[in-house]
Coordinates of all heavy atoms in Angstrom, one line a residue:
M1 N -50.3 -34.8 4.5 CA -49.6 -35.0 5.8 C -48.1 -34.7 5.6 O -47.5 -34.0 6.4 CB -49.8 -36.4 6.3 CG -51.2 -36.7 6.8 SD -51.6 -35.9 8.3 CE -52.8 -37.0 9.0
A2 N -47.5 -35.1 4.6 CA -46.1 -35.0 4.4 C -45.7 -33.6 4.1 O -44.5 -33.2 4.3 CB -45.6 -35.9 3.3
N3 N -46.6 -32.7 3.7 CA -46.2 -31.4 3.3 C -46.1 -30.4 4.5 O -45.7 -29.3 4.3 CB -47.3 -30.8 2.4 CG -47.2 -31.4 1.0 OD1 -46.2 -32.0 0.7 ND2 -48.3 -31.4 0.2
S4 N -46.5 -30.8 5.7 CA -46.6 -29.9 6.8 C -45.3 -29.2 7.2 O -45.3 -28.1 7.8 CB -47.2 -30.6 8.0 OG -46.4 -31.7 8.4
S5 N -44.2 -29.8 6.9 CA -42.9 -29.3 7.4 C -42.4 -28.1 6.6 O -41.6 -27.3 7.1 CB -41.8 -30.4 7.3 OG -41.6 -30.8 6.0
I6 N -43.0 -27.9 5.4 CA -42.6 -26.7 4.5 C -42.9 -25.4 5.2 O -42.1 -24.5 5.1 CB -43.3 -26.9 3.2 CG1 -42.7 -28.1 2.4 CG2 -43.1 -25.6 2.3 CD1 -43.5 -28.4 1.2
R7 N -43.9 -25.3 5.9 CA -44.4 -24.0 6.5 C -43.3 -23.4 7.5 O -43.2 -22.2 7.6 CB -45.7 -24.2 7.3 CG -46.8 -24.4 6.3 CD -48.1 -24.5 7.1 NE -49.2 -24.8 6.2 CZ -50.5 -25.0 6.6 NH1 -50.8 -25.0 7.9 NH2 -51.4 -25.3 5.7
Y8 N -42.6 -24.3 8.2 CA -41.6 -23.8 9.2 C -40.5 -23.0 8.5 O -40.1 -22.0 9.0 CB -41.0 -24.9 10.0 CG -42.1 -25.6 10.9 CD1 -42.7 -26.8 10.5 CD2 -42.5 -24.9 12.0 CE1 -43.6 -27.4 11.3 CE2 -43.5 -25.5 12.8 CZ -44.0 -26.7 12.5 OH -45.0 -27.3 13.3
G9 N -40.1 -23.4 7.3 CA -39.0 -22.7 6.6 C -39.4 -21.3 6.3 O -38.6 -20.3 6.4
A10 N -40.7 -21.0 5.9 CA -41.1 -19.7 5.4 C -41.1 -18.8 6.6 O -40.7 -17.6 6.5 CB -42.5 -19.9 4.8
S11 N -41.6 -19.2 7.8 CA -41.7 -18.2 8.9 C -40.3 -17.9 9.4 O -40.1 -16.8 9.9 CB -42.5 -18.9 10.0 OG -41.9 -20.0 10.5
T12 N -39.3 -18.7 9.3 CA -38.0 -18.4 9.7 C -37.4 -17.3 8.9 O -36.7 -16.3 9.4 CB -37.1 -19.6 9.7 OG1 -37.6 -20.6 10.4 CG2 -35.7 -19.3 10.2
R13 N -37.6 -17.3 7.6 CA -37.1 -16.3 6.7 C -37.7 -14.9 7.0 O -37.1 -13.9 6.9 CB -37.4 -16.7 5.2 CG -36.2 -17.4 4.5 CD -36.4 -17.4 3.0 NE -37.5 -18.2 2.6 CZ -37.5 -19.5 2.5 NH1 -36.4 -20.2 2.8 NH2 -38.6 -20.2 2.1
K14 N -39.0 -14.9 7.3 CA -39.7 -13.7 7.6 C -39.1 -13.0 8.8 O -38.9 -11.8 8.8 CB -41.2 -14.0 7.9 CG -42.1 -13.2 7.0 CD -43.5 -13.6 7.3 CE -44.4 -13.7 6.1 NZ -45.7 -14.2 6.4
R15 N -38.7 -13.7 9.8 CA -38.1 -13.2 11.0 C -36.8 -12.6 10.7 O -36.4 -11.5 11.3 CB -38.0 -14.3 12.1 CG -38.3 -13.8 13.5 CD -38.2 -14.9 14.5 NE -39.2 -16.0 14.2 CZ -39.0 -17.2 14.5 NH1 -37.9 -17.6 15.1 NH2 -40.0 -18.1 14.3
A16 N -36.0 -13.2 9.9 CA -34.6 -12.7 9.6 C -34.7 -11.4 8.9 O -33.9 -10.5 9.1 CB -33.9 -13.7 8.7
A17 N -35.7 -11.2 8.0 CA -35.9 -9.9 7.3 C -36.2 -8.8 8.3 O -35.7 -7.6 8.1 CB -37.0 -10.0 6.3
G18 N -36.9 -9.0 9.4 CA -37.2 -8.0 10.4 C -36.0 -7.5 11.1 O -35.8 -6.3 11.3
V19 N -35.1 -8.4 11.4 CA -33.8 -8.0 12.1 C -33.0 -7.1 11.2 O -32.4 -6.1 11.6 CB -33.0 -9.3 12.4 CG1 -31.6 -8.9 12.9 CG2 -33.7 -10.1 13.5
K20 N -32.9 -7.4 9.9 CA -32.1 -6.5 9.0 C -32.6 -5.1 9.0 O -31.9 -4.2 8.9 CB -32.2 -7.2 7.6 CG -30.9 -7.1 6.8 CD -31.1 -7.9 5.5 CE -29.7 -8.4 5.1 NZ -29.9 -9.3 3.9
Q21 N -33.9 -4.9 9.0 CA -34.5 -3.6 9.0 C -34.1 -2.8 10.2 O -33.8 -1.6 10.1 CB -36.0 -3.7 8.9 CG -36.6 -3.6 7.5 CD -38.1 -3.5 7.5 OE1 -38.7 -3.8 8.5 NE2 -38.6 -3.0 6.4
K22 N -34.1 -3.4 11.3 CA -33.8 -2.7 12.6 C -32.3 -2.2 12.6 O -32.0 -1.1 13.1 CB -34.0 -3.6 13.8 CG -35.3 -3.4 14.4 CD -35.4 -4.2 15.7 CE -36.8 -4.0 16.3 NZ -36.9 -4.9 17.5
K23 N -31.4 -2.9 11.9 CA -30.0 -2.5 11.9 C -29.8 -1.2 11.2 O -28.9 -0.5 11.5 CB -29.3 -3.6 11.1 CG -28.7 -4.7 11.9 CD -27.8 -5.5 11.0 CE -27.4 -6.8 11.6 NZ -26.6 -7.6 10.5
Q24 N -30.7 -0.8 10.2 CA -30.5 0.4 9.5 C -31.0 1.6 10.2 O -30.8 2.7 9.8 CB -31.3 0.3 8.1 CG -31.0 -1.0 7.4 CD -29.6 -1.0 6.8 OE1 -29.0 0.0 6.5 NE2 -29.0 -2.2 6.7
A25 N -31.7 1.5 11.3 CA -32.4 2.6 11.9 C -31.5 3.5 12.6 O -30.4 3.1 13.0 CB -33.4 2.0 12.9
F26 N -31.9 4.8 12.7 CA -31.1 5.7 13.5 C -31.8 5.9 14.9 O -33.0 5.8 15.0 CB -31.1 7.1 12.8 CG -30.2 7.1 11.6 CD1 -30.6 6.7 10.3 CD2 -28.9 7.5 11.7 CE1 -29.8 6.7 9.2 CE2 -28.0 7.5 10.6 CZ -28.5 7.1 9.4
Y27 N -30.9 6.2 15.8 CA -31.5 6.4 17.2 C -31.1 7.8 17.7 O -30.1 8.4 17.2 CB -30.9 5.3 18.1 CG -31.5 4.0 17.8 CD1 -31.0 3.2 16.8 CD2 -32.6 3.5 18.5 CE1 -31.5 1.9 16.5 CE2 -33.2 2.3 18.2 CZ -32.6 1.5 17.2 OH -33.2 0.3 16.9
R28 N -31.8 8.2 18.8 CA -31.5 9.6 19.3 C -30.2 9.6 20.1 O -30.0 8.7 20.9 CB -32.7 10.0 20.2 CG -32.7 11.5 20.5 CD -33.9 11.9 21.3 NE -33.9 11.3 22.6 CZ -33.2 11.9 23.6 NH1 -32.5 13.0 23.5 NH2 -33.2 11.3 24.8
C29 N -29.4 10.6 19.9 CA -28.2 10.8 20.6 C -28.5 11.4 21.9 O -29.1 12.4 22.0 CB -27.2 11.6 19.8 SG -25.7 12.0 20.7
E30 N -27.9 10.9 23.0 CA -28.2 11.4 24.3 C -27.4 12.7 24.6 O -27.7 13.5 25.4 CB -27.9 10.4 25.4 CG -28.9 9.3 25.5 CD -28.5 8.2 26.5 OE1 -27.6 8.5 27.3 OE2 -29.1 7.1 26.4
A31 N -26.3 12.9 23.8 CA -25.5 14.0 24.0 C -26.0 15.3 23.3 O -26.0 16.3 23.8 CB -24.1 13.7 23.5
C32 N -26.5 15.1 22.0 CA -26.9 16.3 21.3 C -28.4 16.2 20.9 O -28.9 17.2 20.4 CB -26.1 16.4 20.0 SG -26.4 15.1 18.8
G33 N -29.1 15.1 21.2 CA -30.5 15.0 21.0 C -31.0 14.8 19.6 O -32.2 14.8 19.3
K34 N -30.1 14.7 18.7 CA -30.4 14.5 17.3 C -30.6 13.0 16.9 O -30.0 12.1 17.6 CB -29.4 15.1 16.3 CG -29.3 16.6 16.4 CD -28.3 17.1 15.4 CE -28.2 18.6 15.6 NZ -29.4 19.4 15.4
M35 N -31.4 12.7 15.9 CA -31.6 11.3 15.5 C -30.5 10.9 14.5 O -30.7 10.6 13.4 CB -33.0 11.1 14.9 CG -34.1 11.4 15.8 SD -34.3 10.1 17.0 CE -34.9 8.7 16.0
T36 N -29.3 10.9 15.0 CA -28.2 10.6 14.1 C -27.3 9.5 14.6 O -26.2 9.3 14.1 CB -27.3 11.9 14.0 OG1 -27.1 12.4 15.2 CG2 -28.0 12.9 13.1
V37 N -27.7 8.7 15.6 CA -26.9 7.6 16.1 C -27.1 6.4 15.2 O -28.2 5.9 15.0 CB -27.2 7.3 17.5 CG1 -26.4 6.1 18.0 CG2 -26.9 8.5 18.4
K38 N -26.0 5.9 14.7 CA -26.1 4.7 13.8 C -25.2 3.6 14.3 O -24.1 3.9 14.8 CB -25.7 5.2 12.4 CG -26.1 4.2 11.3 CD -25.6 4.6 9.9 CE -26.1 3.6 8.9 NZ -25.5 3.7 7.6
R39 N -25.5 2.4 13.9 CA -24.7 1.2 14.3 C -23.5 1.2 13.4 O -23.6 1.1 12.2 CB -25.6 0.0 14.2 CG -24.8 -1.3 14.6 CD -25.8 -2.5 14.5 NE -25.1 -3.7 14.7 CZ -24.5 -4.5 13.8 NH1 -24.5 -4.0 12.5 NH2 -23.9 -5.6 14.0
I40 N -22.3 1.1 14.0 CA -21.1 1.1 13.3 C -20.4 -0.2 13.4 O -19.4 -0.5 12.8 CB -20.1 2.2 13.6 CG1 -19.7 2.2 15.1 CG2 -20.7 3.6 13.3 CD1 -18.6 3.1 15.4
G41 N -20.8 -1.1 14.4 CA -20.2 -2.4 14.6 C -21.1 -3.2 15.5 O -22.1 -2.7 15.9
T42 N -20.7 -4.4 15.8 CA -21.5 -5.2 16.7 C -21.6 -4.5 18.1 O -20.6 -4.4 18.8 CB -20.8 -6.6 16.9 OG1 -20.7 -7.2 15.6 CG2 -21.7 -7.5 17.8
S43 N -22.8 -4.1 18.5 CA -23.0 -3.5 19.7 C -22.4 -2.1 19.9 O -22.4 -1.5 21.0 CB -22.6 -4.3 20.9 OG -23.2 -5.6 20.9
I44 N -21.8 -1.5 18.8 CA -21.2 -0.2 18.9 C -22.0 0.8 18.1 O -22.3 0.5 16.9 CB -19.8 -0.2 18.4 CG1 -19.0 -1.3 19.1 CG2 -19.1 1.2 18.6 CD1 -18.7 -1.1 20.6
W45 N -22.4 1.9 18.6 CA -23.2 2.9 18.0 C -22.5 4.3 18.0 O -21.9 4.6 19.1 CB -24.6 3.0 18.7 CG -25.3 1.7 18.7 CD1 -25.1 0.6 19.5 CD2 -26.4 1.3 17.9 NE1 -25.9 -0.4 19.2 CE2 -26.8 0.0 18.2 CE3 -27.1 2.0 16.8 CZ2 -27.8 -0.6 17.6 CZ3 -28.2 1.3 16.2 CH2 -28.5 0.0 16.6
R46 N -22.6 5.1 17.0 CA -22.0 6.4 17.0 C -22.9 7.4 16.4 O -23.6 7.2 15.4 CB -20.7 6.3 16.2 CG -19.9 7.7 16.2 CD -18.6 7.6 15.5 NE -17.7 6.9 16.4 CZ -16.6 6.3 15.9 NH1 -16.2 6.4 14.7 NH2 -15.8 5.7 16.7
C47 N -22.8 8.6 17.1 CA -23.6 9.8 16.6 C -22.8 10.4 15.5 O -21.7 10.8 15.6 CB -23.8 10.7 17.7 SG -24.6 12.3 17.2
R48 N -23.5 10.6 14.3 CA -22.8 11.2 13.2 C -22.7 12.8 13.4 O -22.0 13.4 12.6 CB -23.6 10.9 11.9 CG -23.3 9.5 11.4 CD -24.4 9.1 10.4 NE -24.8 10.1 9.5 CZ -25.1 10.0 8.2 NH1 -25.1 8.8 7.7 NH2 -25.5 10.9 7.5
H49 N -23.4 13.3 14.3 CA -23.4 14.8 14.5 C -22.3 15.2 15.5 O -21.5 16.1 15.2 CB -24.7 15.2 15.1 CG -24.8 16.7 15.3 ND1 -25.0 17.6 14.2 CD2 -24.8 17.5 16.4 CE1 -25.0 18.8 14.7 NE2 -24.9 18.8 16.0
C50 N -22.2 14.5 16.6 CA -21.2 14.9 17.6 C -20.2 13.8 17.9 O -19.3 14.0 18.8 CB -21.9 15.4 18.9 SG -22.7 14.0 19.8
N51 N -20.2 12.7 17.2 CA -19.3 11.6 17.4 C -19.3 10.9 18.7 O -18.3 10.2 19.1 CB -17.9 12.1 17.0 CG -17.6 12.2 15.6 OD1 -18.2 11.5 14.8 ND2 -16.8 13.1 15.1
A52 N -20.3 11.1 19.5 CA -20.5 10.3 20.7 C -20.6 8.9 20.4 O -21.3 8.5 19.5 CB -21.7 10.8 21.5
T53 N -19.9 8.0 21.2 CA -20.0 6.6 20.9 C -20.7 5.9 22.0 O -20.5 6.2 23.2 CB -18.6 6.0 20.8 OG1 -17.9 6.8 19.8 CG2 -18.6 4.6 20.3
Y54 N -21.6 4.9 21.7 CA -22.4 4.2 22.6 C -22.2 2.7 22.4 O -22.0 2.3 21.3 CB -23.9 4.5 22.5 CG -24.2 6.0 22.7 CD1 -24.3 6.8 21.6 CD2 -24.3 6.5 23.9 CE1 -24.6 8.1 21.7 CE2 -24.6 7.9 24.1 CZ -24.8 8.7 23.0 OH -25.0 10.0 23.1
A55 N -22.3 1.9 23.5 CA -22.4 0.5 23.4 C -23.8 0.1 23.6 O -24.4 0.5 24.6 CB -21.5 -0.2 24.4
G56 N -24.4 -0.7 22.8 CA -25.8 -1.1 22.9 C -26.0 -2.5 22.5 O -25.0 -3.3 22.6
G57 N -27.2 -2.9 22.2 CA -27.4 -4.3 21.7 C -26.8 -4.5 20.3 O -26.4 -3.5 19.7
A58 N -26.8 -5.7 19.9 CA -26.2 -6.0 18.6 C -27.1 -5.4 17.5 O -26.5 -5.1 16.4 CB -26.0 -7.5 18.4
Y59 N -28.4 -5.3 17.7 CA -29.3 -4.9 16.6 C -30.1 -3.7 17.0 O -30.6 -3.0 16.1 CB -30.2 -6.1 16.2 CG -29.4 -7.3 15.7 CD1 -29.3 -8.4 16.5 CD2 -28.7 -7.2 14.6 CE1 -28.5 -9.5 16.1 CE2 -27.9 -8.2 14.1 CZ -27.8 -9.4 14.9 OH -27.1 -10.4 14.5
T60 N -30.3 -3.4 18.3 CA -31.0 -2.2 18.6 C -30.2 -1.5 19.8 O -29.3 -2.2 20.4 CB -32.4 -2.4 19.1 OG1 -32.3 -3.1 20.4 CG2 -33.2 -3.3 18.2
M61 N -30.5 -0.3 20.1 CA -29.7 0.4 21.1 C -30.3 0.2 22.5 O -29.7 0.5 23.5 CB -29.7 1.9 20.8 CG -28.3 2.4 20.5 SD -28.3 4.2 20.3 CE -27.8 4.7 21.9
T62 N -31.5 -0.4 22.6 CA -32.2 -0.4 23.9 C -32.3 -1.8 24.4 O -33.4 -2.5 24.3 CB -33.6 0.2 23.7 OG1 -34.2 -0.5 22.6 CG2 -33.5 1.6 23.4
T63 N -31.3 -2.4 25.0 CA -31.3 -3.6 25.7 C -30.8 -3.4 27.1 O -29.9 -2.5 27.3 CB -30.5 -4.7 25.0 OG1 -29.1 -4.3 25.0 CG2 -30.9 -4.9 23.5
P64 N -31.2 -4.2 28.0 CA -30.7 -4.1 29.4 C -29.1 -4.3 29.4 O -28.4 -3.6 30.2 CB -31.3 -5.3 30.2 CG -32.6 -5.6 29.4 CD -32.2 -5.2 27.9
E65 N -28.6 -5.2 28.6 CA -27.2 -5.4 28.6 C -26.5 -4.1 28.1 O -25.4 -3.7 28.5 CB -26.8 -6.5 27.6 CG -27.3 -7.9 28.1 CD -28.7 -8.2 27.7 OE1 -29.4 -7.3 27.1 OE2 -29.2 -9.3 27.9
G66 N -27.1 -3.4 27.1 CA -26.5 -2.2 26.5 C -26.4 -1.1 27.6 O -25.5 -0.4 27.6
E67 N -27.4 -1.0 28.4 CA -27.4 0.0 29.4 C -26.1 -0.1 30.3 O -25.5 0.9 30.6 CB -28.6 -0.1 30.3 CG -29.9 0.5 29.7 CD -29.8 2.0 29.4 OE1 -29.2 2.7 30.3 OE2 -30.1 2.5 28.3
V68 N -25.8 -1.3 30.7 CA -24.6 -1.5 31.5 C -23.3 -1.2 30.8 O -22.5 -0.5 31.3 CB -24.6 -3.0 32.0 CG1 -23.3 -3.3 32.8 CG2 -25.8 -3.3 32.9
A69 N -23.3 -1.7 29.5 CA -22.0 -1.4 28.8 C -21.9 0.0 28.5 O -20.7 0.6 28.5 CB -22.1 -2.2 27.4
R70 N -22.9 0.8 28.3 CA -22.9 2.2 28.0 C -22.3 3.0 29.2 O -21.5 3.9 29.0 CB -24.2 2.7 27.6 CG -24.2 4.0 26.8 CD -25.6 4.5 26.6 NE -26.5 3.5 26.0 CZ -27.8 3.7 25.9 NH1 -28.3 4.8 26.3 NH2 -28.5 2.8 25.4
R71 N -22.7 2.6 30.4 CA -22.2 3.2 31.5 C -20.7 3.0 31.7 O -19.9 3.9 32.1 CB -22.9 2.7 32.8 CG -23.9 3.7 33.3 CD -24.7 3.1 34.5 NE -26.1 2.8 34.0 CZ -26.7 1.7 34.4 NH1 -26.1 0.9 35.2 NH2 -27.9 1.5 34.0
L72 N -20.2 1.8 31.4 CA -18.8 1.4 31.4 C -18.0 2.3 30.5 O -17.0 2.9 30.9 CB -18.6 0.0 31.1 CG -19.0 -1.0 32.2 CD1 -18.9 -2.4 31.7 CD2 -18.1 -0.9 33.4
I73 N -18.5 2.4 29.2 CA -17.7 3.2 28.3 C -17.7 4.7 28.7 O -16.7 5.4 28.5 CB -18.4 3.1 26.9 CG1 -17.9 1.8 26.3 CG2 -18.0 4.2 25.9 CD1 -18.3 1.6 24.8
A74 N -18.8 5.2 29.2 CA -18.8 6.6 29.6 C -17.8 6.9 30.7 O -17.2 7.9 30.8 CB -20.2 6.9 30.1
G75 N -17.5 5.9 31.6 CA -16.6 6.0 32.6 C -15.1 6.0 32.1 O -14.3 6.8 32.6
I76 N -14.9 5.3 31.0 CA -13.5 5.2 30.5 C -13.2 6.5 29.7 O -12.1 7.1 29.7 CB -13.4 4.0 29.6 CG1 -13.5 2.7 30.4 CG2 -12.0 4.0 28.8 CD1 -13.8 1.5 29.6
K77 N -14.2 7.0 28.9 CA -14.1 8.1 28.0 C -13.8 9.4 28.8 O -14.4 9.6 29.8 CB -15.3 8.2 27.1 CG -15.0 8.5 25.7 CD -16.2 8.5 24.8 CE -17.0 9.8 24.9 NZ -18.2 9.8 24.1
K78 N -13.0 10.2 28.2 CA -12.8 11.5 28.9 C -13.9 12.5 28.5 O -14.2 12.7 27.4 CB -11.5 12.1 28.4 CG -10.3 11.9 29.4 CD -10.4 13.1 30.4 CE -10.0 12.6 31.8 NZ -8.7 12.3 32.0
Ligands
ZN101 ZN1 -24.8 13.5 19.1

């Protein structure tokens, strides 16, 4: 009975490892179409091919919040 609490710690560590993997992924650039967009900061993504900069989610590029932020940046940028 006393051992049941140990299992919760193991499942939390597994979830954290999954987030780390997503951070390393490359995403497709909307400007040049290449899979060269990489996360360079919290919610900031940049294409290594054409240097286009996007605002997205903290860990992936595809969040509803990111869509809004991306439109804002596109409006500011020349
Ligand atoms: Zn690009």
Side-chain angles (χ1 to χ4, degrees):
M1 288 289 206
N3 287 341
S4 59
S5 64
I6 290 169
R7 287 183 186 176
Y8 292 104
S11 65
T12 304
R13 263 195 297 279
K14 237 180 220 173
R15 218 178 299 151
V19 169
K20 219 174 208 174
Q21 265 188 339
K22 265 189 179 171
K23 271 189 190 174
Q24 309 291 330
F26 285 87
Y27 290 85
R28 195 176 68 84
C29 175
E30 286 176 16
C32 68
K34 293 185 186 299
M35 295 290 290
T36 48
V37 176
K38 198 184 182 192
R39 181 176 174 271
I40 60 167
T42 303
S43 301
I44 308 293
W45 302 76
R46 179 173 291 160
C47 173
R48 282 164 38 146
H49 182 75
C50 70
N51 281 333
T53 306
Y54 302 96
Y59 300 110
T60 71
M61 250 185 91
T62 52
T63 63
E65 294 87 353
E67 282 297 318
V68 175
R70 202 183 309 171
R71 255 176 253 140
L72 285 173
I73 280 191
I76 295 162
K77 224 174 80 177
K78 258 275 142 75

